[in-house]
């Protein structure tokens, strides 16, 4: 039994509680009241992105040599941060499964399944935690993706705040999502001889799934916010 599973369970419970309290903490505007579940879900996701993305960025800033060994070593707290993220993705998976129709959420459910498996391996084996920390840098961009959804639900599309967020969102998308995933795929290719076949297969399949999903999302963002 891994102590990391306790962190996962605690994280699941904490994000579940946060989700239930968010409507009181951040009351939805009139334009979002018809979809209260979505309003709570996005704010919960935003909280996770700030925590995990900020934590991952701090890890690399405080430990610049981390990229030299992404398999066996990791900075203090990194394992717990990855376990917290597993708990969040499990909570979000259950939340979508209970409140949204499958044809509306299958892409995110599929995405979450891949992340839970990959991060779960790192939590259980206490290996590849550094690699998972690289993946969490993607959450820096997710902050602005979630802010974009909040502004859309609040009917604030035609505002300076939305336009500014769109620009920052695009910039962080390229830096923290596209470039990060490309670097991870490159790392896997270079280290294929040092990674067990089963783990390498999981990582390769994960990259093969995430890359086209993120390219499609980038196209949707460009079409919606810049080429409308």
């Amino acid at each position: 039994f891994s102590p990391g599973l306790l962190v996962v369970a605690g994280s699941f419970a904490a994000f579940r509680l946060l989700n239930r309290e968010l409507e009181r903490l951040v009351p939805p505007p009139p334009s979002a009241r018809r979809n209260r579940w979505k309003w709570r879900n996005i704010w919960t996701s935003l909280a996770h992105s700030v925590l995990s993305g900020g934590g991952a960025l701090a890890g690399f800033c405080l430990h610049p040599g981390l990229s030299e060994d992404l398999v066996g070593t990791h900075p203090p707290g990194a394992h717990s941060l990855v376990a917290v993220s597993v708990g969040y993705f499990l909570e979000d998976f259950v939340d979508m499964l209970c409140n949204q129709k499958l044809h509306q959420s299958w892409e995110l459910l599929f995405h979450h399944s891949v992340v839970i498996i990959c991060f779960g391996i790192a939590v259980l084996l206490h290996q590849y935690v550094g690699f998972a920390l690289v993946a969490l840098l993607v959450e820096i961009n997710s902050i602005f993706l979630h802010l974009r959804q909040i502004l859309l639900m609040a009917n604030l599309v035609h505002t300076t705040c939305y336009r500014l967020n769109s620009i920052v969102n695009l910039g962080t998308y390229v830096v923290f999502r596209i470039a990060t995933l490309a670097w991870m795929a490159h790392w896997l290719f270079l280290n294929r001889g040092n990674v067990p076949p089963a783990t390498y297969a999981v990582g390769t399949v994960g990259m093969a799934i995430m890359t086209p999903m993120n390219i499609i999302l980038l196209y949707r963002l460009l079409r919606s916010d810049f080429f409308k």
Side-chain angles (χ1 to χ4, degrees):
F1 182 77
S2 170
L5 294 179
L6 289 176
V7 180
V8 172
S11 171
F12 178 91
F15 278 109
R16 199 70 186 151
L17 179 63
L18 176 65
N19 184 285
R20 291 181 178 180
E21 293 296 318
L22 265 168
E23 193 166 338
R24 182 175 60 84
L25 297 171
V26 190
S31 56
R33 286 174 189 165
R34 60 181 179 179
N35 201 349
R36 294 174 182 271
W37 162 79
K38 187 67 175 176
W39 180 258
R40 295 194 307 271
N41 180 270
I42 295 171
W43 276 99
T44 306
S45 299
L46 177 61
H48 167 259
S49 294
V50 171
L51 174 65
S52 59
L57 190 61
F60 280 98
C61 289
L62 296 173
H63 303 273
L66 176 61
S67 59
E68 297 174 7
D69 182 14
L70 298 177
V71 179
T73 63
H74 50 268
H79 181 267
S80 295
L81 184 65
V82 176
V84 166
S85 287
V86 174
Y88 158 75
F89 283 113
L90 283 168
E91 188 280 331
D92 200 44
F93 189 98
V94 171
D95 195 37
M96 285 189 291
L97 210 57
C98 293
N99 294 285
Q100 203 170 27
K101 294 179 180 178
L102 188 58
H103 72 88
Q104 295 175 311
S105 61
W106 72 267
E107 288 182 67
L108 276 176
L109 291 174
F110 188 50
H111 167 275
H112 285 15
S113 299
V114 173
V115 174
I116 290 166
I117 292 170
C118 293
F119 281 17
I121 291 173
V123 171
L124 291 172
L125 300 182
H126 283 261
Q127 289 187 310
Y128 311 102
V129 175
F131 192 72
L133 210 63
V134 175
L136 284 177
L137 290 174
V138 169
E139 294 298 322
I140 296 291
N141 168 248
S142 294
I143 294 172
F144 302 99
L145 278 174
H146 298 319
L147 284 174
R148 177 182 181 274
Q149 288 183 294
I150 289 169
L151 291 169
L152 282 170
M153 290 194 72
N155 201 22
L156 296 172
V157 179
H158 304 292
T159 62
T160 303
C161 185
Y162 184 88
R163 294 302 300 167
L164 181 61
N165 185 75
S166 296
I167 295 168
V168 177
N169 185 27
L170 180 61
T172 55
Y173 198 103
V174 173
V175 174
F176 289 104
R177 194 172 287 268
I178 298 297
T180 297
L181 288 173
W183 189 91
M184 290 169 67
H186 181 65
W187 184 91
L188 271 176
F189 177 76
L190 291 180
N191 292 272
R192 60 190 182 279
N194 303 321
V195 178
T199 307
Y200 181 75
V202 171
T204 303
V205 171
M207 289 293 99
I209 292 169
M210 294 299 182
T211 301
M213 286 182 71
N214 280 281
I215 291 173
I216 291 170
L217 180 56
L218 176 61
Y219 167 73
R220 289 174 179 171
L221 285 172
L222 289 171
R223 186 182 63 182
S224 176
D225 288 356
F226 295 95
F227 302 141
K228 187 177 291 184

